[in-house]
Amino acid sequence: MSKTQAYKVIFEPAEEGGYTVYVPSLPGCISEGDTYEEALTNVKEAIKGWIEVSEQFGDEIPQSDVIVDVVEISLSDEQTA
């Protein structure tokens, strides 16, 4: 059975184009890509690699640092017009 982890990632536009992506809770876990989609794919692979190396060295692996929830709000008719 596989386990799912979720980590916050920060996308920063690069001066030369594309994105640099950081994973704040995994020190040194950084990736990049020419497009958002490529950067997202690459950072997923970087996270997997970071975790694999940490496991090999017996290092502690931070747990998911994301809370996902649904928030419902009501807008008055004036706010939606």
Side-chain angles (χ1 to χ4, degrees):
M1 180 183 296
S2 67
K3 182 178 178 181
T4 300
Q5 292 277 48
Y7 293 99
K8 231 179 304 185
V9 295
I10 298 172
F11 288 80
E12 291 184 354
E15 284 185 29
E16 63 279 355
Y19 295 90
T20 300
V21 190
Y22 304 90
V23 186
S25 61
L26 305 178
C29 189
I30 301 170
S31 192
E32 62 184 9
D34 291 333
T35 65
Y36 179 88
E37 292 78 15
E38 181 181 4
L40 180 60
T41 297
N42 292 345
V43 79
K44 287 178 182 180
E45 289 301 315
I47 291 168
K48 288 178 186 177
W50 192 100
I51 290 172
E52 287 173 6
V53 170
S54 293
E55 286 175 337
Q56 289 174 359
F57 285 94
D59 295 337
E60 184 178 337
I61 299 169
Q63 296 300 308
S64 296
D65 64 350
V66 175
I67 297 172
V68 178
D69 204 343
V70 176
V71 177
E72 293 184 24
I73 61 169
S74 294
L75 298 175
S76 68
D77 290 337
E78 292 174 3
Q79 289 175 315
T80 60

